[in-house]
Amino acid sequence: MPTIPPERAPISEHKPHERGQVAVSFGSDAERYDRARPRYPAEMVDRIVAGSPGSDVLDVGCGTGIAARQFQAAGCRVLGVEPDARMADLARQLGGEVDVATFDAWDPAGREFDAVVAGQAWHWIDPVAGAAKAAQVLRAGGRLAAFWNVFQLPPEVAEASAAAYRWVMPDSPFNVQAMTKQALDGYQVLFTKAADGIREVGRFSAPEQWRFDWEWSYARDAWLDQMPTHGALTQLPPDKLAEVLEGVGAAIDAMGGSFTMRYTTVAVTAARTDAT
């Protein structure tokens, strides 16, 4: 579920109102979001489940339920928490159970879980407050796992994308040029903040990073279908969005109409260790 690039490095640099606007913009086309966004490696889901004391999972920022359905398929009972009612509504239509709330305002009402997960969402949450609330609702030994899909565009597509973004959105708050650089370098600041938040709470084991490398082939239309779900584009007027997609589509056409994307999925994870 990539939200970065081009958001990759500057999420923490956005002003609060800009972050809020982007965070609630993904539900503008929830069906496309669910259809186009990539799933997560089954190996990661299985490892999180195996490293948890039971099968009750809380999915923070669950969106349309992409990760939740993967955990359900692995035998878990999943409750989602999602601030965008449009995303939550689709998640329910697809078989999920969802509370509509931000994680900080969400009332657990005495409910406890064996794992708290967050796919492509933890960067919208204060890392210390989020870890503290996760510790509050986790059973002893329960696992917190925040994870991100990091994609690396082929150079031809990355350069065309950056050029299109600069032309159409010259005043964008997103670091467009970061699209042409190594994606993991930009994401590392997110991983470090998540781990530091876990450490500061003091109720977890030492945080670890679990890494999973994989590839996915995209036909031109499949990638252009996903692009409007990226945070830098969700608020663009249709004519401006069409200009961006035209530029990127031309680059993919020049490559033969398809390309292979390299993905790295990283989970920042720790187990609750205290008994209270």
Side-chain angles (χ1 to χ4, degrees), residues 5-274:
E7 298 101 308
R8 74 166 67 107
I11 279 181
S12 60
E13 300 167 10
H14 293 170
K15 297 175 183 177
H17 72 278
E18 292 171 340
R19 293 184 64 188
Q21 289 168 358
V22 175
V24 298
S25 67
F26 297 105
S28 59
D29 192 346
E31 290 80 7
R32 180 196 297 268
Y33 186 102
D34 192 80
R35 175 181 69 242
R37 287 281 182 131
R39 278 43 183 166
Y40 297 98
E43 296 88 344
M44 182 197 72
V45 173
D46 291 343
R47 188 171 178 185
I48 292 171
V49 173
S52 303
S55 56
D56 291 322
V57 175
L58 178 69
D59 185 4
V60 176
C62 68
T64 61
I66 290 173
R69 294 195 298 273
Q70 291 189 248
F71 280 92
Q72 287 174 328
C76 297
R77 295 177 296 275
V78 184
L79 172 66
V81 176
E82 169 56 44
D84 191 319
R86 299 164 298 181
M87 304 282 270
D89 183 61
L90 182 56
R92 293 190 187 106
Q93 292 177 42
L94 296 171
E97 180 183 353
V98 187
D99 288 350
V100 177
T102 60
F103 187 46
D104 61 342
W106 173 69
D107 180 8
R111 291 168 289 187
E112 293 184 328
F113 301 88
D114 300 298
V116 172
V117 303
Q120 220 74 18
W122 201 248
H123 51 275
W124 302 115
I125 297 167
D126 179 273
V128 177
K133 190 149 193 175
Q136 174 190 347
V137 301
L138 280 169
R139 299 184 176 106
R143 179 162 298 278
L144 170 60
F147 44 87
W148 291 265
N149 279 333
V150 185
F151 65 77
Q152 187 66 55
L153 286 165
E156 302 94 324
V157 182
E159 292 290 350
S161 300
Y165 278 63
R166 283 193 297 265
W167 174 256
V168 175
M169 302 181 294
D171 300 321
S172 172
F174 297 99
N175 182 1
V176 171
Q177 194 55 35
M179 299 175 67
T180 63
K181 303 183 185 303
Q182 288 297 313
L184 277 174
D185 294 343
Y187 267 86
Q188 192 57 52
V189 72
L190 300 184
F191 305 153
T192 299
K193 284 186 175 182
D196 288 347
I198 291 170
R199 291 190 189 94
E200 187 167 336
V201 167
R203 299 181 66 183
F204 290 92
S205 61
E208 304 174 16
Q209 284 189 22
W210 296 349
R211 173 173 172 164
F212 306 85
D213 295 302
W214 52 288
E215 294 182 344
W216 196 259
S217 295
Y218 284 100
R220 175 188 187 276
D221 289 349
W223 180 246
L224 298 188
D225 191 35
Q226 185 182 136
M227 284 187 66
T229 73
H230 297 170
L233 300 179
T234 53
Q235 301 175 79
L236 269 189
D239 59 332
K240 298 295 186 182
L241 175 61
E243 288 186 54
V244 173
L245 298 183
E246 181 180 0
V248 177
I252 299 172
D253 287 339
M255 299 171 63
S258 64
F259 66 92
T260 298
M261 182 83 82
R262 289 190 290 113
Y263 278 98
T264 299
T265 302
V266 176
V268 178
T269 182
R272 213 200 88 179
T273 56
D274 65 320

